[in-house]
Amino acid sequence: MSIEEKVKELNERKERLKLGGGRAKIDQQHAQQSLTARERIETLLDKDSFQEVGLFARHRCTNFGMAGKEFPAEGVVTGAGTVGGRLVHLASQDFTVAGGSAGEVHSDKIVQSMLSALKTGTPFVFMNDSGGARIQEGIDSLAGYGKIFYHNVMLSGVVPQISLICGPCAGGAAYSPALTDFIIQTAGARMFITGPSVIKEATGEEITAEALGGPLSQMNYAGVAHFVAENDLVALRICKRLLSFLPSNNLEDPPQLQADDIVVPDKTLNTLVPTDPKKGYDVRQVITRLVDGGDFLEVQPLFAPNIVVGFARILGRSVGVVANQPSVLAGALDINASDKGARFVRFCNAFNIPLITLVDVPGFLPGVQQEQGGIIRHGAKMLFAYSAATVPKITVIMRKAYGGAFLAMCGKELETDRVFAWPTAEIAVMGPQGAVNVIFRNEIAQAENPQKRRQELIESYQSTFATPYAAAGRRDVDDIIEPAETRRHLAMTLDILHSKREFRPMKKHGLIPL
Ligand code: HXC
């Protein structure tokens, strides 16, 4: 064969392999409003930046008529490319090829891409669309998943890992996304460990695949998914936006964008939070006024909405924001809010993203369900995560800051670098009504006019504790600031703390209460 013929053959082979499972299967994928594995990659990456690895990979299975059967690219497209000019490694499962099922070589390709991400210090993006372990390959396909899980853990905390769930992701396969940092699930995707038919057999419960594994279930109830997207295009947009806030690895700072460095006071902040502590408001309105261009990428908006977490920028610098949400459960911390908050704090700490905590918390949520569900163990995660975090930690107490929840929202004693309070802040062991009932029970009972005496004592308690001045006197608060000036204070503090380095005793790892 001449070189021209060899090149022609090469190109034909490549073209054929790149068609995956063929035109009919691609049409089926499109009919379900889904992109193919390669279209997802093209949409995510900068134009012409993709370098594919392993297009010619072939399985070694001979069971059940598999000998000699070709699965293009082994059902997963892997390689590297750039997003906004920054390198990422990726794997995109091709449902048109044997349902994206993961055999030995399929999984090895994914692992190779993960290792490349690790060695080059670049994020790993895994687009899941698969029927799970390739049944014909038996133990080899299970071993393949085992290797993926192991390497998810190796990458954890070193490079950001993002999973997109674009189709089925069932059985043990769901544990790879679960081991990554963020899960973006499309509306049509389904995630579960055991599907509806197995559940019916085992427990008699009946449920549809959508209700069990759709985004509503996996975000709102389970807190497994971090973002829900109506389709692949939206999911990929979220992925790009998320990457823009993150450094490529744990040794780098997040990218800093050019920003106007003039901060004008925002007087609306002075009145946005009602002075009446019983009144709710949407804390996202405060967040969007504090950050560049009102651009806030909220993480898990529909899970534990009593706490709001997400990414934003202040004068071009990425920050992680954690805020109580007084419009839901009065912003109290419960089991799910503690899990959500602590996990986010740990992610930010691992990837050098400063933390801004906005406090308006009446306490931990009371209730038998909370106690028996382990609020002590879960709430402790917030204390642990903030105490263990060494990134710049800045806290703003807007209104209520009561009891243990005040400390759990990055109180000063957790080596918080700056604590600011608004004049509306109330910092105390508990709210005035509850406190007076405990410490003056006898005095109130014996008073000539118990109602009047109770009110007097509440007012006295309020003027002593329910202000930021007592806390500032004890240096639990570093400064009391006008709400309108908060963005300026945050920007200055981020500047001052930019070179912060904090060293802790060497240990294998701390024991966060799981
Ligand atoms: C081999 C598979 C496969 C699998 C699908 N296919 N799943 N091949 N191993 N796990 C193949 C089908 O045979 C079919 O091949 C093609 O992919 C498309 O599948 P369909 O069933 O036609 O598609 P659809 O109707 O859309 O249904 C998709 C599905 C279903 C819901 C994912 O295929 C399904 O239930 N698959 C099995 C899921 C499962 O139980 N997997 C094992 C989970 S346990 P042809 O040749 O007809 O195109 C697991 C363990 C991991 O993953 C353990 C890690 C520790």
Side-chain angles (χ1 to χ4, degrees), residues 79-411:
T82 59
V83 175
R86 299 166 68 216
L87 188 66
V88 300
H89 282 79
L90 52 79
S92 181
Q93 290 180 313
D94 186 347
F95 192 82
T96 69
V97 177
S101 57
E104 175 202 21
V105 175
H106 174 115
S107 296
D108 276 352
K109 282 184 66 181
I110 296 170
V111 168
Q112 185 186 354
S113 192
M114 294 167 94
L115 281 171
S116 204
L118 187 65
K119 289 176 194 166
T120 55
T122 51
F124 179 65
V125 178
F126 187 6
M127 301 175 217
N128 292 256
D129 190 356
S130 164
R134 188 175 294 157
I135 295 162
Q136 299 91 324
E137 295 198 35
I139 186 68
D140 286 343
S141 52
L142 290 185
Y145 263 118
K147 287 181 196 165
I148 294 174
F149 300 158
Y150 176 82
H151 287 90
N152 280 136
V153 177
M154 289 304 103
L155 267 62
S156 182
V158 184
V159 295
Q161 298 183 82
I162 300 174
S163 299
L164 283 85
I165 315 297
C166 305
C169 183
Y175 282 117
S176 170
L179 290 168
T180 64
D181 304 318
F182 295 102
I183 294 178
I184 306 170
Q185 182 173 4
T186 62
R190 305 284 174 259
M191 281 184 94
F192 34 69
I193 297 298
T194 46
S197 55
V198 176
I199 289 184
K200 188 168 178 215
E201 220 170 279
T203 69
E205 293 163 295
E206 288 193 34
I207 187 163
T208 63
E210 183 184 354
L212 187 68
L216 179 76
S217 167
Q218 295 303 340
M219 158 86 81
N220 300 32
Y221 306 142
V224 168
H226 298 88
F227 301 94
V228 169
E230 51 206 88
N231 55 37
D232 286 339
L233 288 175
V234 178
L236 291 158
R237 254 201 317 269
I238 294 171
C239 182
K240 280 191 207 191
R241 194 165 162 224
L242 178 58
L243 283 166
S244 77
F245 288 102
L246 313 182
S248 293
N249 59 64
N250 64 332
L251 300 179
E252 287 181 7
D253 282 334
Q256 185 167 356
L257 300 193
Q258 288 290 334
D260 194 352
D261 60 1
I262 297 165
V263 181
V264 280
D266 182 347
K267 289 282 179 192
T268 56
L269 281 168
N270 286 353
T271 50
L272 215 145
V273 175
T275 45
D276 178 353
K278 292 201 189 77
K279 281 204 175 138
Y281 60 92
D282 185 352
V283 78
R284 286 174 293 201
Q285 292 196 16
V286 177
I287 298 170
T288 50
R289 279 175 170 79
L290 295 178
V291 303
D292 294 358
D295 182 22
F296 177 55
L297 177 61
E298 188 173 351
V299 176
Q300 284 190 318
L302 302 173
F303 175 66
N306 41 327
I307 198 165
V308 172
V309 302
F311 298 104
R313 290 184 188 86
I314 293 186
L315 298 196
R317 284 206 172 99
S318 288
V319 291
V321 181
V322 180
N324 306 114
Q325 174 57 289
S327 63
V328 182
L329 295 175
L333 289 179
D334 62 357
I335 290 171
N336 286 346
S338 302
D339 283 1
K340 173 178 165 182
R343 179 181 168 127
F344 182 73
V345 166
R346 280 162 64 83
F347 176 84
C348 291
N349 188 50
F351 290 105
N352 312 318
I353 300 172
L355 285 161
I356 292 179
T357 306
L358 304 177
V359 186
D360 191 347
V361 68
F364 283 100
L365 186 70
V368 177
Q369 214 189 5
Q370 287 291 310
E371 293 295 339
Q372 292 184 345
I375 184 66
I376 296 177
R377 180 163 52 87
H378 292 277
K381 293 178 193 175
M382 289 289 280
L383 289 161
F384 199 109
Y386 271 127
S387 299
T390 55
V391 288
K393 295 185 282 197
I394 309 171
T395 298
V396 180
I397 304 170
M398 302 180 297
R399 204 171 55 167
K400 290 179 289 236
Y402 295 159
F406 154 60
L407 297 174
M409 289 300 293
C410 209

Side-chain angles (χ1 to χ4, degrees), residues 30-79:
H30 287 162
Q32 289 170 8
Q33 315 304 324
S34 286
L35 299 179
T36 63
R38 288 181 187 279
E39 288 165 347
R40 287 176 186 137
I41 292 175
E42 264 168 45
T43 311
L44 178 70
L45 296 183
D46 300 335
K47 198 168 181 318
D48 297 331
S49 72
F50 183 49
Q51 184 185 54
E52 184 167 357
V53 175
L55 175 65
F56 296 98
R58 296 187 74 119
H59 67 80
R60 302 188 296 178
C61 180
T62 52
N63 302 331
F64 306 107
M66 289 270 286
K69 213 173 187 179
E70 188 180 45
F71 289 154
E74 255 309 286
V76 62
V77 185
T78 54

Side-chain angles (χ1 to χ4, degrees), residues 432 456-470:
E456 284 166 6
L457 289 166
I458 285 176
E459 277 160 28
S460 151
Y461 182 92
Q462 256 167 338
S463 62
T464 310
F465 288 128
T467 77
Y469 294 99

